[in-house]
Amino acid sequence: MLKALFIDLSGVLYEGNKVIPGAVAAIEKARASQLQLRFVTNTSRKTRDQLLNDLKNLGFELQEEELFTAPVAVHGWLQEKKIRPYCLIHHNIKSEFADLLQTDPNAVVIGDAEQDFCYDKLNRAFQLCQQGAVLVGIGCNRYFKLDGQLQLDAGPFIKAIEFAASTKAIIIGKPSKDFFLQALASTGLSADQVLMIGDDIYGDIEGAIHSGLHAGLVRTGKYQRGDEHKISAAHLTFDSIVDAVDYALLEQIKH
Amino acid sequence: MLKALFIDLSGVLYEGNKVIPGAVAAIEKARASQLQLRFVTNTSRKTRDQLLNDLKNLGFELQEEELFTAPVAVHGWLQEKKIRPYCLIHHNIKSEFADLLQTDPNAVVIGDAEQDFCYDKLNRAFQLCQQGAVLVGIGCNRYFKLDGQLQLDAGPFIKAIEFAASTKAIIIGKPSKDFFLQALASTGLSADQVLMIGDDIYGDIEGAIHSGLHAGLVRTGKYQRGDEHKISAAHLTFDSIVDAVDYALLEQIKH
């Protein structure tokens, strides 16, 4: 029986600064039920505080402990292992990594660095990895949608450095199983009691299925016509978060 | 019996503006023998004319028909197929592609674009491929050596766009078999009569072996200690082009 919803943020609850129609009411309905909610995101353009604040402004009230972000998970991992990163990350979240020693780097961290993805900085990242630095990806998303257009996310740049330096990145965030299991542990549930709802066929859907969760693809955000046929494993599809929540509530009544 | 040498340029004959010690004399020795010579390069920072001129200044006299460059092969392919490319290439060779119609592109061409590898241009390349444009790589080299340091070549950026747009690039240049066979056709020989000499384990060595040629890795240029152990197929190794030519001449005498 379904006991929790894991929900992706961008493209599921909102797109840019626009709320997906019905999303605020859907989350309120879900919250009024027995379902546990977790919000699971690779977003690496905002700090956790900015994210909570922006969500509040859009009408979504989240508890800090409900929110699992890839940058926070990466930061925790670096801190625990006392690793000195060279950070190719968005300027908005540089403050979140500022407490880590970053001289003489022995790791390269790649997030959605946007304009920081330039030849000189990518070259530096490559040279460090070639000399043995660990490559860490804040998620491995292919693209996201902004201003109506698909834009390159961190994943392609991670693949570029992997190829150049003949190395394999450690991915922290979706679709990494560890990341899903970290969010799962906070619920006390088993994987098959959880439905992950997302718009990314690789990060959200395949990642969740690979981690033992159920998965539902929404046709909002970065969804492209035909995406559902690119996933071989069994999954659900919904027009939006509204239908996904209705489905979950109906499943509750059935059992 | 060995009847031709295919020789890579950068890292084999010279490094930056410095001739590899003994390389000029080695090429002269090879030229005085019965061996046919071809020069096979992915270099995409110089036009063919600039390359011939620079080689002349370094002491290497090449005939135009001995030189096979990846950008020229790509240009010929685009021209033949009447394809309109969006070119992410080095500013030095933009003139070589200027005769092609480039409005409303239906292809993306990626060479060693250096500083042109920025987020906005890579994003544009991705969006075009996502909309169905063909992705074409001028070779697929991982890195090259400049000023004593390894630098990112076109390959990693091709891999980035391949991953982002879930597509597969057409590679023209090394390690593509078509490219080796084009040079081979000009000799009238069979593949096993040719030795490819290069410093790139992927582009030169594996590419040549895959095309049926013999291959010899030189320990100059981008060669890194241990590179020879990364190649599973049988190949030769030489300290430099000097030893490689001596080996080839000795093979001539033996037969």
Side-chain angles (χ1 to χ4, degrees):
Chain A
M1 184 183 159
L2 209 56
K3 295 201 167 170
L5 295 181
F6 283 11
I7 301 165
D8 177 39
L9 296 178
S10 174
V12 177
L13 297 187
Y14 56 84
E15 212 173 284
N17 292 316
K18 263 181 55 190
V19 173
I20 302 284
V24 171
I27 296 301
E28 280 170 8
K29 251 163 77 176
R31 207 177 269 298
S33 76
Q34 301 293 313
L35 291 166
Q36 289 193 59
L37 301 185
R38 294 293 180 272
F39 300 86
V40 185
T41 179
N42 280 355
T43 295
S44 64
R45 286 195 174 199
K46 291 174 183 174
T47 62
R48 180 158 57 176
D49 287 348
Q50 284 168 343
L51 206 49
L52 286 167
N53 193 54
D54 289 358
L55 283 164
K56 196 171 177 178
N57 288 336
L58 291 174
F60 302 100
E61 290 271 1
L62 267 62
Q63 303 301 310
E64 207 181 313
E65 57 275 17
E66 290 176 331
L67 179 60
F68 288 80
T69 86
V72 169
V74 169
H75 179 272
W77 189 84
L78 294 168
Q79 198 169 41
E80 184 196 315
K81 299 208 179 297
K82 293 188 172 48
I83 285 175
R84 303 178 304 277
Y86 173 71
C87 291
L88 255 178
I89 58 179
H90 200 275
H91 58 88
N92 279 351
I93 65 162
K94 284 186 180 167
S95 61
E96 232 169 15
F97 287 75
D99 62 325
L100 300 171
L101 191 67
Q102 298 184 32
T103 47
D104 186 23
N106 54 5
V108 168
V109 172
I110 298 186
D112 165 22
E114 203 192 13
Q115 298 298 335
D116 263 15
F117 286 131
C118 63
Y119 186 68
D120 292 340
K121 290 183 179 175
L122 286 164
N123 226 4
R124 168 101 167 111
F126 156 62
Q127 287 163 355
L128 286 166
C129 289
Q130 186 72 17
Q131 290 153 23
V134 180
L135 180 62
V136 182
I138 303 182
C140 196
N141 288 34
R142 291 171 197 238
Y143 50 78
F144 59 96
K145 198 171 178 182
L146 187 68
D147 303 329
Q149 281 211 297
L150 299 185
Q151 319 268 349
L152 290 170
D153 209 319
F157 297 95
I158 295 166
K159 293 294 172 185
I161 303 301
E162 280 189 339
F163 179 71
S166 299
T167 189
K168 188 94 190 101
I170 296 167
I171 303 299
I172 300 178
K174 298 177 287 186
S176 147
K177 194 171 177 175
D178 282 351
F179 188 62
F180 283 108
L181 296 187
Q182 195 185 333
L184 184 66
S186 77
T187 63
L189 299 173
S190 63
D192 65 353
Q193 296 175 307
V194 178
L195 173 65
M196 170 77 213
I197 301 165
D199 66 334
D200 188 311
I201 50 175
Y202 309 103
D204 295 326
I205 307 306
E206 292 193 342
I209 292 168
H210 182 68
S211 306
L213 283 68
H214 301 286
L217 177 70
V218 288
R219 295 192 195 89
T220 55
K222 77 178 83 172
Y223 169 82
Q224 302 278 295
R225 188 191 294 261
D227 270 359
E228 52 271 65
H229 308 304
K230 295 177 188 160
I231 311 165
S232 51
H235 66 283
L236 303 161
T237 50
F238 303 107
D239 277 346
S240 78
I241 180 74
V242 176
D243 290 354
V245 167
D246 283 348
Y247 165 85
L249 295 178
L250 206 64
E251 284 294 299
Q252 295 264 297
I253 296 165
K254 275 195 202 161
H255 288 88
Chain B
M1 183 180 158
L2 208 57
K3 295 200 168 170
L5 294 181
F6 283 11
I7 301 166
D8 177 39
L9 295 179
S10 174
V12 176
L13 298 188
Y14 56 85
E15 210 173 287
N17 292 317
K18 263 180 56 190
V19 174
I20 302 282
V24 171
I27 296 301
E28 281 170 6
K29 251 163 77 177
R31 206 177 271 295
S33 75
Q34 301 293 315
L35 291 166
Q36 288 193 59
L37 301 185
R38 294 293 180 273
F39 300 86
V40 185
T41 179
N42 280 354
T43 296
S44 65
R45 287 197 173 198
K46 290 174 184 174
T47 62
R48 182 159 55 176
D49 287 349
Q50 284 168 345
L51 205 50
L52 286 167
N53 193 53
D54 288 358
L55 282 163
K56 196 171 176 178
N57 288 336
L58 291 174
F60 302 101
E61 290 271 1
L62 266 63
Q63 304 301 310
E64 207 181 314
E65 57 274 18
E66 290 176 330
L67 179 60
F68 288 80
T69 86
V72 169
V74 169
H75 179 273
W77 189 85
L78 294 168
Q79 199 168 41
E80 183 196 316
K81 298 208 179 299
K82 293 188 174 47
I83 285 175
R84 303 178 305 277
Y86 173 71
C87 291
L88 254 178
I89 58 179
H90 200 274
H91 59 87
N92 279 351
I93 66 162
K94 284 186 180 167
S95 62
E96 233 169 15
F97 287 76
D99 62 325
L100 300 170
L101 191 67
Q102 298 184 31
T103 48
D104 187 21
N106 55 4
V108 168
V109 172
I110 298 187
D112 165 21
E114 201 191 13
Q115 298 298 334
D116 264 14
F117 286 131
C118 63
Y119 186 68
D120 291 340
K121 290 183 179 174
L122 286 166
N123 226 5
R124 168 99 167 111
F126 155 62
Q127 288 163 356
L128 286 166
C129 288
Q130 187 72 15
Q131 289 153 23
V134 181
L135 180 62
V136 182
I138 304 183
C140 196
N141 290 33
R142 292 172 195 237
Y143 50 78
F144 59 96
K145 198 172 179 183
L146 188 68
D147 303 329
Q149 281 210 297
L150 298 185
Q151 319 269 348
L152 288 170
D153 209 320
F157 297 95
I158 295 166
K159 294 292 171 186
I161 303 302
E162 280 190 339
F163 179 70
S166 300
T167 189
K168 188 94 190 100
I170 297 167
I171 303 298
I172 300 177
K174 296 177 289 184
S176 147
K177 194 171 176 175
D178 282 350
F179 188 62
F180 283 108
L181 296 188
Q182 195 183 334
L184 184 66
S186 77
T187 64
L189 300 174
S190 62
D192 65 353
Q193 295 175 307
V194 178
L195 172 65
M196 171 76 213
I197 302 166
D199 65 334
D200 188 310
I201 50 175
Y202 309 104
D204 296 324
I205 307 305
E206 292 194 342
I209 292 169
H210 182 68
S211 306
L213 283 67
H214 300 284
L217 178 70
V218 288
R219 295 193 195 89
T220 54
K222 76 177 83 171
Y223 168 83
Q224 302 277 294
R225 188 192 293 262
D227 270 359
E228 51 271 63
H229 307 305
K230 295 177 189 159
I231 311 164
S232 52
H235 66 283
L236 303 160
T237 50
F238 302 106
D239 277 346
S240 79
I241 180 72
V242 176
D243 290 354
V245 167
D246 283 347
Y247 165 86
L249 297 178
L250 205 64
E251 284 295 297
Q252 296 265 297
I253 296 164
K254 275 196 204 163
H255 287 88

